[in-house]
Each structure stands twice: as structure tokens, then as C-alpha cells.
């Protein structure tokens, strides 16, 4: 099968290569001595890629710290189940699915991938594979940050950093739908995009004073660093700073600070795709390329706004 692999951690996306790799062995997968209990093989139709995942340790080593290169990046997928592993329940061969793969196993920039069945959710027939793949990571991250960790409720105010990006635009839409007042941030060039995705105000982080926002109930921070530190002072008593760029260095005086890593969740994927079908949430795709053109797509001079999606199959 065709797959994108990486072997050189220092090379970044420039070190990506399109190669031939062995296909997962369905017969072995279905045997008691095969792969992990409950795995399935998915014929990948579309794959998402997160721009900084080549900096993640899990791209290069397994859970025991052992080198696992050449590794296949990509963790978001939409496709069709082609084989069931031993002990698998809840899915069937030929079923359309989408979901998030394990961080320390070969990923989705390939024609086939082995995934734990519990990490996948049914993808309705009227949702395009590219759309399905594009909302997995951003949707789950936004959902978990807002509702699980941020405890967002209707009538609250939310500051969403990077509101024009893949995660930020999803957080903006979900927060608005939940009845929150959303303030987005970013560079001025991203202002209209953030507003189009539902932000009711926009703060230019290069020209406006962040502190002029006043107090908010929830900060959704994708940046960390100085922006995250300054944002802690904006959280009102009882509010929450939710960070996805690592543990906050500064914590709110009278509120909570939470950092988290997104996890697969079939139920949440179902909620997200229902909103996509209803038109309540839309994907933020910046570029779509084929698997043959994936290396070039990930090495553009300027990173596209929104999610880069690879169509593995037409």
C-alpha cells in the first residue's frame, strides 16, 4: 500500500516520503494471536494532519520509549471498515466510519490503517469523507475543552484564541450553539474568518490590548506562552482557563486552570457529525490534496488557513 513515512525528526515535514508499505494482514488480525484485541482495518478515504504532530514524541517512539521509525503520521481518518479484528463489536465490514487513531501506532496517511474499534464512530452516508476527517481532532478538542473541562453553560462568555483556525473555529461554533458569548482572537487578517464562524467580537493580538476584553467565564487557549499567561488574568472568579498547548504557567487567581490531551470518544463524534449534517457546524478546510501530492501539500511556503486534508481515494 502507499503511505507517507517519516524517519528524521529534525527534518520536519521536509523529511516526509511516499513509499510502499505492507498492508495490514486481515487474517492475522482476526486470529487470537493477531493484533490488539478489538482492532479493525479501515480502508482510508481521507486523512487529516495536524501541523505540529511531527514534534510530538509519540510520532517517533512507542509507549516504552523505543524508536518506531519509519512511522506513518496522521491521526484523523474517514473511511470504510475492511476487516474486523478478534473480539470486535459494534462495527461491520463495509461500514463508513471516522475517528481518531492511537498516538503511538502507525497513522492515517496511508491506504489502510489498523485502529481500535472503540475509537471510531459511524459516518453517515451524506457526509463527505473529507469533511468527516477534517472535524475529528478539531471537533473532539473543542468539545472536550468547552464542555468536559470548561463546564460551559448558556449565557457565559468565552475567549477563544486562534478563532479562525481549525480548532478555534470549531470551539467558536460549538460555544455559540451552546448559548455562549464568544470573543475570538488572532491576527487581523483572520478577523473576518473568525466572525464568519460565529465570533461576536474579535481581538487583534498584534494591535489590540488583550486586557481590554475584561473578565470572561472561560478562556480556550491554543497558544500558551505569553498569550496564555496574560489570559489567566481575564478569568473571572469561578471561571476556567483551558489550555491545549501544555500546562499553564500562570493560573487564574480565583478560578481553575486545566490542560488536557484530546482522547477518542464515539459519542462525542456522533454529536459533532449530527451538527455537521444539520448545518449547525461546518468544517474549516484550508487545503485538500491527494496522497501522491501530500508531501508537497505539507511543505507549502505558507501554511494554509484551516485544516489540510488528504484524499487517499478519489
Amino acid at each position: 500500500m502507499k503511505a507517507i513515512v517519516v524517519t528524521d525528526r529534525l527534518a520536519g515535514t521536509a523529511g516526509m516520503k511516499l513509499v510502499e508499505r505492507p498492508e495490514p494482514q486481515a487474517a492475522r488480525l482476526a486470529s487470537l494471536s493477531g493484533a490488539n484485541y478489538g482492532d479493525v482495518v479501515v480502508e482510508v478515504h481521507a486523512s487529516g494532519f495536524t501541523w505540529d504532530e511531527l514534534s510530538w514524541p509519540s510520532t517517533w517512539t512507542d509507549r516504552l520509549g523505543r524508536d518506531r521509525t519509519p512511522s506513518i503520521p496522521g491521526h484523523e481518518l474517514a473511511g470504510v471498515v475492511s476487516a474486523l479484528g478478534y473480539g470486535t463489536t459494534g462495527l461491520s465490514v463495509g461500514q463508513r466510519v471516522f475517528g481518531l487513531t492511537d498516538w503511538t501506532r502507525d497513522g492515517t496517511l496511508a491506504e489502510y490503517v489498523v485502529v481500535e474499534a472503540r475509537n471510531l464512530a459511524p459516518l453517515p452516508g451524506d457526509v463527505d469523507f473529507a469533511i468527516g476527517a477534517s472535524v475529528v481532532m478539531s471537533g473532539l478538542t473543542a468539545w472536550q475543552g468547552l464542555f468536559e473541562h470548561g463546564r460551559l453553560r448558556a449565557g457565559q462568555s468565552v475567549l477563544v484564541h486562534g478563532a479562525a483556525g481549525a480548532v478555534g473555529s470549531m470551539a467558536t461554533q460549538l460555544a455559540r450553539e451552546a448559548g455562549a458569548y464568544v470573543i475570538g482572537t488572532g491576527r487581523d487578517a483572520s478577523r473576518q474568518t473568525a466572525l464568519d464562524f460565529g465570533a461576536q467580537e474579535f481581538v487583534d493580538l498584534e494591535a489590540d490590548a488583550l486586557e481590554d476584553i475584561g473578565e470572561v467565564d472561560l478562556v480556550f487557549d491554543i497558544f500558551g506562552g505569553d498569550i496564555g499567561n496574560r489570559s489567566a488574568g481575564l478569568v473571572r472568579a469561578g471561571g476556567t482557563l483551558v489550555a491545549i498547548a501544555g500546562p499553564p504557567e500562570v493560573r487564574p487567581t480565583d478560578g481553575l486552570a486545566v490542560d488536557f490531551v484530546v482522547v477518542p470518544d464515539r459519542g462525542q463524534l456522533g454529536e459533532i457529525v449530527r451538527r455537521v449534517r444539520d448545518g449547525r457546524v461546518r468544517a474549516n478546510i484550508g487545503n485538500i490534496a491527494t496522497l501522491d501530492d501530500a508531501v508537497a501539500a505539507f511543505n507549502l511556503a505558507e501554511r494554509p488557513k484551516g485544516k489540510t486534508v488528504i484524499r487517499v481515494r478519489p
Side-chain angles (χ1 to χ4, degrees), residues 6-297:
V6 291
T7 57
D8 184 349
R9 191 168 186 168
L10 298 179
T13 54
M16 288 179 156
K17 295 179 181 178
L18 180 64
V19 301
E20 286 288 334
R21 290 286 296 271
E23 290 184 15
Q25 296 179 8
R28 180 174 180 271
L29 191 74
S31 71
L32 186 59
S33 60
N36 291 350
Y37 186 87
D39 279 349
V40 299
V41 178
V42 178
E43 179 186 76
V44 181
H45 284 244
S47 169
F49 178 77
T50 302
W51 66 272
D52 64 342
E53 71 176 71
L54 297 190
S55 67
W56 303 348
S58 56
T59 300
W60 308 99
T61 57
D62 64 17
R63 286 188 173 88
L64 298 177
R66 298 171 300 196
D67 179 82
R68 67 181 193 87
T69 58
S71 62
I72 301 173
H75 295 285
E76 303 155 274
L77 83 152
V80 175
V81 175
S82 62
L84 301 177
Y86 185 82
T88 299
T89 59
L91 297 176
S92 58
V93 172
Q95 185 172 8
R96 299 172 97 250
V97 293
F98 73 129
L100 191 66
T101 67
D102 190 289
W103 307 122
T104 56
R105 300 172 72 179
D106 278 342
T108 60
L109 290 174
E111 292 181 305
Y112 294 90
V113 65
V114 178
V115 190
E116 286 187 78
R118 63 179 180 174
N119 293 353
L120 301 170
L123 181 69
D126 57 353
V127 177
D128 186 82
F129 287 114
I131 298 295
S134 74
V135 299
V136 173
M137 185 93 73
S138 57
L140 288 174
T141 301
W143 188 282
Q144 292 166 21
L146 292 172
F147 305 123
E148 286 192 5
H149 304 293
R151 301 165 299 160
L152 181 67
R153 301 187 305 276
Q156 292 187 321
S157 54
V158 184
L159 176 64
V160 177
H161 286 308
V167 174
S169 62
M170 185 63 73
T172 296
Q173 294 177 88
L174 291 174
R176 278 295 303 272
E177 198 224 353
Y181 185 86
V182 181
I183 305 167
T185 78
R187 293 191 175 97
D188 188 60
S190 301
R191 179 186 301 271
Q192 193 56 53
T193 300
L195 295 174
D196 289 344
F197 275 106
Q200 289 144 295
E201 294 182 39
F202 184 82
V203 176
D204 178 356
L205 292 175
E206 296 178 328
D208 300 330
L210 184 61
E211 289 71 19
D212 287 348
I213 293 172
E215 292 185 331
V216 295
D217 296 293
L218 174 63
V219 173
F220 191 103
D221 177 35
I222 69 168
F223 295 135
D226 179 63
I227 296 298
N229 293 342
R230 291 161 59 197
S231 297
L234 304 177
V235 177
R236 64 168 44 101
T240 307
L241 167 64
V242 173
I244 64 172
E249 299 172 0
V250 178
R251 307 176 73 85
T253 302
D254 296 309
L256 297 175
V258 179
D259 70 286
F260 75 100
V261 175
V262 64
V263 295
D265 190 291
R266 180 179 291 178
Q268 291 172 5
L269 286 172
E271 293 290 344
I272 292 161
V273 81
R274 274 192 286 275
R275 286 160 173 77
V276 171
R277 296 181 76 195
D278 293 346
R280 291 177 285 167
V281 167
R282 58 190 174 93
N284 185 358
I285 299 177
N287 186 30
I288 297 179
T290 65
L291 188 61
D292 287 341
D293 296 329
V295 173

